[in-house]
Structures are given as structure tokens and as C-alpha cells.
Amino acid sequence: MQIRIANRQDEPEIRTFVESIYKASGSSFEIETKDADLRNIEANYFGKEGLLLVAEHENKIVGLAGAKKKSESVLEIKRLIGSSGSGFDQAEMLSELITVIVEFAPRLLYERVETDLVPASNAHEKLFAEKGFESNNGNDSFALDVQQSGKFV
């Protein structure tokens, strides 16, 4: 499995991947509303001082993480989605995606990483806690302060 920065050519496969995850959970993919950020990833992530990562296994997208600027000092994780499969561990993959985002944050001078996941989920609560994130205002979001060195505080 490898993790890399997504590009425009990945957009159709990313949308297909997210739609398949939604269908498996009984949700619907809505490109015009809640999933509009996946229509133009360059504008919606890189253009908003953020990044979109994909995890690939055997040349197929099996995971996705996206974060963008919330404020001058806060990078917000908007997407964290993974599928399960043979040959890789889903929890380990999601953990690696979070690590890349957290290490990226101070390079763009962010001081804090927060979550506001689409779709909303507390399924990753344990994973965020293991990475040092704390509950943010008691809702389904989490936060972590980061240092400029790129290491966890």
C-alpha cells in the first residue's frame, strides 16, 4: 500500500470509491451538495491551502483523507474514508493518512488540526485519540495542537 497526493486524474476514481463506501453503509453520494468538494479537488483542497491524499493498494484507491484551511492557524480534516481488503490493514492505513496530514500542517504554519468529517462520524474516535487528538467541544469533532517542527505537541 502507498499513500500519495491526489491529482485531477484521480477524481473519477475517488468519486467512485466514495460512492461505493456510501452505498455499503446505506448512504447516498450527493455531488451537488454534501460531496461537492470531490468535484474539483484542486480548487477545493489545494486551492484552500490543504491537501487530499489517497491510499492505493494494487493500483486501486482504498483510502482517502482530505484537509483544508479553516482559519489562518487551523487545518481541518474533512474526509477520512477507508475500505477494508486483503493485503492491508484498514486501521493502519487510516492512521498513516492522519499522520501525513498532521506532519503537513506545521509546514504551512498551521498550529492546530481539527476534524469536521464528511460524512459526520465518530467511528474514528479511537484512532484520533491514539494520535493525541482530544474531543473538541464534546461533539463528533477532535482537535490536536501541532508544533512548527512537525512533531506532535
Side-chain angles (χ1 to χ4, degrees), residues 120-135:
S121 170
N122 61 3
H124 305 308
E125 183 174 351
K126 180 181 176 192
L127 185 58
F128 283 119
E130 288 171 358
K131 291 292 187 182
F133 283 74
E134 296 179 355
S135 180

Side-chain angles (χ1 to χ4, degrees), residues 72-120:
E72 290 302 316
S73 62
V74 178
L75 179 67
E76 186 172 59
I77 299 175
K78 298 298 288 181
R79 298 259 178 196
L80 183 62
I81 301 170
S83 66
S84 55
S86 60
F88 66 93
D89 179 86
Q90 180 185 20
E92 183 179 312
M93 171 192 54
L94 293 174
S95 177
E96 286 181 40
L97 288 166
I98 293 169
T99 297
V100 172
I101 289 173
V102 168
E103 290 177 353
F104 170 84
R107 293 180 190 158
L108 285 182
L109 306 178
Y110 291 112
E111 298 170 4
R112 184 174 177 87
V113 178
E114 295 181 359
T115 68
D116 183 18
L117 297 177
V118 176

Side-chain angles (χ1 to χ4, degrees), residues 42-80:
E42 288 180 2
N44 289 311
Y45 285 94
F46 304 109
K48 300 214 188 272
E49 298 179 42
L51 77 162
L52 187 69
L53 304 169
V54 292
E56 288 182 321
H57 181 69
E58 297 178 354
N59 296 318
K60 185 177 179 192
I61 293 176
V62 295
L64 173 75
K68 53 186 159 178
K69 178 180 182 176
K70 179 178 181 180
S71 70
E72 290 302 316
S73 62
V74 178
L75 179 67
E76 186 172 59
I77 299 175
K78 298 298 288 181
R79 298 259 178 196
L80 183 62

Side-chain angles (χ1 to χ4, degrees), residues 29-41:
F29 184 74
E30 299 172 20
I31 195 70
E32 298 299 324
T33 55
K34 68 180 172 75
D35 299 307
D37 62 312
L38 299 178
R39 175 174 285 161
N40 184 341
I41 62 172

